[in-house]
Amino acid sequence: MSTAPTRGRPRSERARKAILEAAAELLLARGLSAVSMDAVAEQAGVSKATIYRWWPTKETLALDALYTEWAAARPHPRDTGSLRGDLLALFRPWARLAGSRPYGRVIAALITESQTDPVFAAEYRQRFVEPRREQGRATFRRAIERGEVPADTKVEVALDLLYGSMYHRLLHGHARLNDTFVRDAVDTVLDGIRPRPADAGGHEGRHAH
């Protein structure tokens, strides 16, 4: 009898994992608009009541499913010793994963929902947007501490340029999101923020004291 209270948690965790996996598979196969809680419940082998215990809407379930899948596949960002290396280590695995399956249409649907539902919008930013931006901020903080870029670097703008360019390709599909594009995007942004040497006219660069 003493072991009974511990049995619910493994079952709950298994059910939760099965729901997230089923939701991810259905979302990628059919898209958010075609996925229902009934379909997820059937594929996961649980009741709808079990799903609603954790997720009030299919949008919140989709957000959690996407977050969980990406978090599991994403390696922890490395400190490579340089800002360029750190940014490539951060963005290349993400770009490979994002481009490997039809994530674009799922993200597009979540963005659409966030435009009409302020509560979901706040959750979307907290769960999906901010964790990735904070990883980017960490790479810039290390670079500033190394003296690699100026302390007054507009980090938020740099992150918008980097993430914005990659989501642009992911959502619009006008060109490939691959390692080459990640490298070019990183180099283009860094060219705009790295300290410049003194020019030929004797003017000092931003890194001079």
Side-chain angles (χ1 to χ4, degrees), residues 12-63:
S12 292
E13 288 303 313
R14 284 196 296 271
R16 185 180 175 88
K17 182 179 179 182
I19 293 165
L20 290 170
E21 289 176 351
E25 287 301 316
L26 289 169
L27 284 165
L28 290 168
R30 304 182 192 175
L32 181 60
S33 62
V35 174
S36 66
M37 291 296 211
D38 287 309
V40 175
E42 181 179 354
Q43 177 140 332
V46 301
S47 68
K48 279 201 300 182
T50 300
I51 299 177
Y52 281 117
R53 182 166 33 143
W54 291 306
W55 298 282
T57 67
K58 72 175 183 179
E59 287 79 14
T60 57
L61 172 57
L63 178 61

Side-chain angles (χ1 to χ4, degrees), residues 31-139:
L32 181 60
S33 62
V35 174
S36 66
M37 291 296 211
D38 287 309
V40 175
E42 181 179 354
Q43 177 140 332
V46 301
S47 68
K48 279 201 300 182
T50 300
I51 299 177
Y52 281 117
R53 182 166 33 143
W54 291 306
W55 298 282
T57 67
K58 72 175 183 179
E59 287 79 14
T60 57
L61 172 57
L63 178 61
D64 226 8
L66 191 62
Y67 176 87
T68 301
E69 181 153 299
W70 283 19
R74 186 183 65 247
H76 189 73
R78 294 182 290 116
D79 182 354
T80 66
S82 75
L83 178 57
R84 183 179 188 270
D86 285 358
L87 291 173
L88 291 176
L90 175 63
F91 284 106
R92 274 182 167 166
W94 176 85
R96 290 167 187 163
L97 176 63
S100 65
R101 302 182 72 182
Y103 287 106
R105 69 178 179 182
V106 179
I107 295 171
L110 295 175
I111 292 173
T112 299
E113 182 67 17
S114 72
Q115 295 300 304
T116 58
D117 184 341
V119 174
F120 178 77
E123 186 174 3
Y124 175 78
R125 286 191 293 269
Q126 179 185 5
R127 289 281 286 153
F128 197 77
V129 178
E130 272 304 304
R132 284 159 184 79
R133 291 187 71 87
E134 182 52 36
Q135 288 178 335
R137 291 183 192 112
T139 67

